Amino acid sequence: MANTGLSVWFHKKIVDPLLQILRRGAEPKLLAFSAAVGITLGLFPICGVTVFLCGMAIALLGSNCHAPTVMLANFIATPIELSLVVPFLRFGELISGGSHFPLTSDALKKVLTGQASREVLLSIAHALLGWLIAAPFILAMLYILLLPCFKILVRKFSVVPSSPKKPLHSHSEVKLKEIDTCSGCIQAEISY
């Protein structure tokens, strides 16, 4: 029974939005890049900041990214983000040569009582450093892996041509049928 609930949630939150994105006919390269950006920013090691980062990326990249894909990929990356905080922390410590932040119950007590504020800030800085160094490689790897996937998915699910050079129907022509003088609308008939 719980499996059914999870399946419904998965379809409603991930599969259905992905199908809507694919049916709109965006370019596979744009979708792959946007998904790679969304996942890479979604792995940022400070929880709660990723949506803001994705919004900034969408604003900066403009038409070079597909906003719904960035946000969906960010949403999908959330569980992965939580599992990669410690590896990013350790990678940052390794790169900077810093001491290991202990992940023990005693360290947690110090953090909760405010006795380890300097260590916590240093560990956040190490995690950020680890992510900053890994992010370009993650972005490139995801783009390379996602591009063939999106080529297949767009070809399979798109109802709109993926390129403006390809017409929707090869032999379509538009004929004006009539002008509705009351509303000023032009009605058109498409014949094949």
Side-chain angles (χ1 to χ4, degrees), residues 6-17 19:
L6 182 61
S7 176
V8 170
W9 178 89
F10 185 77
H11 276 278
K12 184 178 177 184
K13 298 292 183 181
I14 295 173
V15 174
D16 292 343
L19 288 175

Side-chain angles (χ1 to χ4, degrees), residues 112-132:
L112 294 176
T113 59
Q115 297 174 353
S117 58
R118 182 183 179 283
E119 290 87 5
V120 170
L121 290 175
L122 193 57
S123 70
I124 291 171
H126 285 146
L128 291 174
L129 176 65
W131 178 82
L132 281 170

Side-chain angles (χ1 to χ4, degrees), residues 15-119:
V15 174
D16 292 343
L18 179 61
L19 288 175
Q20 287 177 4
I21 289 168
L22 293 170
R23 288 182 180 138
R24 294 189 184 187
E27 289 287 327
K29 288 181 181 179
L30 181 69
L31 293 174
F33 175 72
S34 300
V37 167
I39 292 171
T40 302
L41 293 176
L43 298 179
F44 190 75
I46 299 177
C47 299
V49 179
T50 60
V51 172
F52 177 71
L53 290 176
C54 286
M56 285 180 36
I58 290 166
L60 290 172
L61 293 170
S63 64
N64 293 323
C65 76
H66 188 253
T69 305
V70 171
M71 297 310 283
L72 180 62
N74 176 39
F75 177 72
I76 292 170
T78 301
I80 304 165
E81 169 197 19
L82 299 174
S83 67
L84 289 179
V85 170
V86 174
F88 284 138
L89 168 66
R90 296 299 181 223
F91 184 53
E93 291 169 346
L94 178 73
I95 295 296
S96 67
S99 60
H100 282 306
F101 181 75
L103 297 173
T104 63
S105 59
D106 291 336
L108 181 62
K109 286 179 190 175
K110 287 183 179 179
V111 168
L112 294 176
T113 59
Q115 297 174 353
S117 58
R118 182 183 179 283
E119 290 87 5

